[in-house]
Amino acid sequence: MPRPHPSADNLYQLLMAPADAGPDRPAVVEADENGVLHEISYRRLDALVKQYAAVLDGLGLDVGDPVVVEADTCAAAVAMLLACSLLGLPFVTVSPHTPDTRLATIIDQVTPALHARANDLPARELDRHAEGSAVFDLGGLVIERAPAPRVRRRREVLSTDTAYIVFTSGSTGRPKGVVMSHRAIVTFLRAMLADQLAGPADRVASTSPLQFDFALFGIGVALSAGAALVPVRREDLGSPRRMTAFLRDAKATQVHGVPSLWRPVLRHDPDLLLELTHLRSVVFAGEEFPLPELRRLQEMLPAVRLVNGYGATESMAASFTDVPNPLPADQERLSIGRAHAGAEMTLVDADGRIVTEPGGSGEIYLRSPALFTGYWNDPEATAKVLVPDPVEPRHGTKVLRTGDLARLDETGELCFIGRADFQVQIRGNRVELGEIEGTLTRLPGVTAAAATVVPRGGDQILMAAVTLTAAAAAADFDASAALAFVGKQLPSYMVPRSVRVLPELPLTQNGKVDREALTRRLTAPR
Ligand SMILES: Nc1ncnc2c1ncn2[C@@H]1O[C@H](COS(=O)(=O)NC(=O)C[C@H](N)c2cccc(Br)c2)[C@@H](O)[C@H]1O
């Protein structure tokens, strides 16, 4: 089977390089089914990668043949991803909780050569499946059904070959496969090393499902730095006590997660956070962290660096900005700063002009060597986001059109405004849902808010939901007073028709606020 040239950018080579310097250092710290912690060294992980690669090699697959990897983040799953990388087999990650329908769509789109699943997962009854199937665990990789050997057309794994394909949530219709090359992801992770996001002494806790590139980010940042990856089991995430106990016992120094990760412990038992004496930094990403909750987190973890990670799967990420400590009382939006080392964000206004004046706002275009190759088998969708450089299109250099809006502040840093498609028109006025949510979270007792538009009799009407602190939830929430408060801060067309208290906001598989589910919830008969 073809291999990468030692000088070629390859995810396996980058992540296993620390095995030479510190073979006995922990690469992965994970809990077994009884919750007992085990440390898997770089040496042992690399041996497992080679063992898996030998079995995959025997199948006669060709560079570029996709492999679906179904697992939660764990040492064996990481070994599977790296074995695929070593052989030039693009991995397509799905989590055990990915619905059958979505997995079937992914299989239809990429026609994978193999579907490898963690051995504690049942085989799914799908009406179409990958050509081959296999199960893997720390003992090895076992082929259940071998794919037909191919005539190999490739000789070597190149940096331009696909490392992985991550499917977006497809919030706007069919899920799209984001194709990332080895060169893109290795370039990005080298920028993380340059920005020293993690170091060899770190123990990086990862909490996102494997189908979300936030999980791949944790794997990449930890292993490329020679640090230890500490996957948090899904069943530990729902309970504040189990999550904090695991993070404490694993001596996690850095925790990656979406803002909703922290909601349960902040709401039910914030004092548990005081036990995280090894914690040095928290990286959050995926959506805006509601400021009341972020302030609470900062109060409980005053010595911990809180990093606002902004970016899209099409470049893995774009910027990492420290949250001011303490967060000024009058600050309403978080800065998303400047792009990471080796990348640059440019704002383009509605007329296509480059925004250079502080206070100006526009759509974020990301210039980076770490951009994705394109959407799998979808040149039209690709052409919409990989566009000619708005500063000087004649070069033909492509930049990523993010669909996000931001404002340029006095220091040249960007302040996130919201998604362009969250801009809605209410009675002909442009409404920024994020602005309504930001205003609602300033109400006493409100911990998070989400606004949405629902069609009503040919018009679009605004509706909102809020979650409250336990104390505020015990009292009666005065919705009309809340709307009056918003009416004092925002123009009348931005005041929601109703605001509803929910015990929690509905979340997507990746832990973000699920706006479609929220709209259904708010429009369902009471
Ligand atoms: N910090 C923010 N404030 C506000 N809005 C954010 C933030 N981070 C995102 N978003 C939004 O999410 C969109 C993108 O979604 S995505 O493609 O699923 N990718 C993601 O969410 C995760 C992203 N790949 C990622 C992965 C690892 C590390 C980092 Br650091 C970032 C962006 O275009 C933004 O609209």
Side-chain angles (χ1 to χ4, degrees), residues 168-169 188 212-215 217-218 283-289 308-320 336 402-404 416 418-419 510 512:
T168 60
S169 54
F188 173 82
F212 189 22
D213 72 335
F214 205 171
F217 171 78
V283 180
F284 58 86
E287 61 186 358
E288 289 185 276
F289 206 130
N308 181 17
Y310 159 76
T313 301
E314 287 83 347
S315 75
M316 184 163 263
S319 69
F320 297 83
I336 52 173
T402 65
D404 289 323
F416 186 77
R419 283 203 64 76
N510 292 349
K512 298 190 189 187

Side-chain angles (χ1 to χ4, degrees), residues 29 57 104 114 135-136 200 246 277 318 320 361 367 387 497 509:
V29 177
D57 206 345
L114 186 72
V135 288
F136 62 86
F246 175 79
T277 52
F320 297 83
S361 61
R367 187 187 309 275
V387 298
R497 182 71 57 87
Q509 284 253 323

Side-chain angles (χ1 to χ4, degrees), residues 3 12 45-56 79 83 86:
R3 291 289 197 282
Y12 164 79
L45 184 65
D46 195 24
L48 190 60
V49 173
K50 300 280 179 42
Q51 189 183 338
Y52 286 177
V55 174
L56 288 172
L86 180 57

Side-chain angles (χ1 to χ4, degrees), residues 140-461:
L141 169 65
V142 175
I143 304 298
E144 285 175 332
R145 185 178 64 249
R150 281 98 163 98
V151 174
R152 276 182 176 152
R153 299 159 297 178
R154 292 290 310 273
R155 290 170 23 80
E156 203 174 301
V157 184
L158 306 181
S159 66
T160 48
D161 283 318
T162 302
Y164 64 80
I165 305 160
V166 156
F167 275 81
T168 60
S169 54
S171 52
T172 53
R174 198 172 68 127
K176 295 193 294 279
V178 174
V179 177
M180 286 294 272
S181 66
H182 283 280
R183 181 170 59 182
I185 185 63
V186 167
T187 305
F188 173 82
L189 290 172
R190 287 211 177 99
M192 296 301 103
L193 286 170
D195 287 345
Q196 297 183 320
L197 203 67
D202 273 304
R203 293 163 76 98
V204 179
S206 165
T207 63
S208 293
L210 199 56
Q211 89 240 353
F212 189 22
D213 72 335
F214 205 171
L216 301 180
F217 171 78
I219 294 166
V221 162
L223 298 188
S224 60
L229 176 72
V230 181
V232 185
R233 290 180 307 172
R234 187 183 174 84
E235 61 263 29
D236 289 338
L237 294 176
S239 141
R241 182 163 301 286
R242 287 175 56 172
M243 182 179 96
T244 46
F246 175 79
L247 292 173
R248 178 199 61 214
D249 298 348
K251 299 185 174 55
T253 61
Q254 180 170 114
V255 177
H256 294 181
V258 292
S260 63
L261 168 77
W262 301 100
R263 199 154 289 154
V265 68
L266 287 172
R267 182 179 168 80
H268 298 297
D269 213 337
D271 289 355
L272 290 173
L273 294 169
L274 303 174
E275 297 176 18
L276 303 181
T277 52
H278 290 86
L279 191 56
R280 294 284 166 277
S281 55
V282 164
V283 180
F284 58 86
E287 61 186 358
E288 289 185 276
F289 206 130
L291 290 196
E293 293 178 318
L294 188 56
R295 292 182 203 283
R296 194 90 179 85
L297 187 65
Q298 200 171 60
E299 275 165 40
M300 302 313 293
L301 301 171
V304 172
R305 184 185 172 213
L306 302 179
V307 181
N308 181 17
Y310 159 76
T313 301
E314 287 83 347
S315 75
M316 184 163 263
S319 69
F320 297 83
T321 312
D322 281 36
V323 174
N325 190 354
L327 197 56
D330 62 348
Q331 181 158 344
E332 292 177 16
R333 306 309 286 271
L334 287 179
S335 168
I336 52 173
R338 289 182 178 77
H340 61 71
E344 200 174 306
M345 295 190 281
T346 302
L347 287 188
V348 180
D349 71 15
D351 307 325
R353 275 195 299 268
I354 307 302
V355 175
T356 54
E357 291 302 308
S361 61
E363 183 174 355
I364 302 172
Y365 283 61
L366 176 68
R367 187 187 309 275
S368 165
L371 297 184
F372 76 134
T373 309
Y375 294 117
W376 173 271
N377 192 26
D378 196 341
E380 292 76 40
T382 302
K384 289 198 185 84
V385 296
L386 278 184
V387 298
D389 176 358
V391 171
E392 177 45 85
R394 290 174 296 179
H395 290 288
T397 308
K398 292 292 189 302
V399 299
L400 178 70
R401 180 175 185 177
T402 65
D404 289 323
L405 304 174
R407 178 168 294 105
L408 195 59
D409 74 14
E410 299 66 43
T411 67
E413 292 200 353
L414 297 189
C415 198
F416 186 77
I417 294 177
R419 283 203 64 76
D421 46 30
F422 282 1
Q423 298 277 321
V424 293
Q425 297 297 324
I426 302 286
R427 298 199 292 279
N429 305 289
R430 198 168 79 173
V431 168
E432 169 50 52
L433 293 176
E435 206 172 343
I436 298 172
E437 294 162 356
T439 304
L440 281 167
T441 54
R442 293 219 309 279
L443 273 163
V446 170
T447 53
T452 183
V453 281
V454 294
R456 183 67 51 94
D459 198 357
Q460 299 257 53
I461 67 162

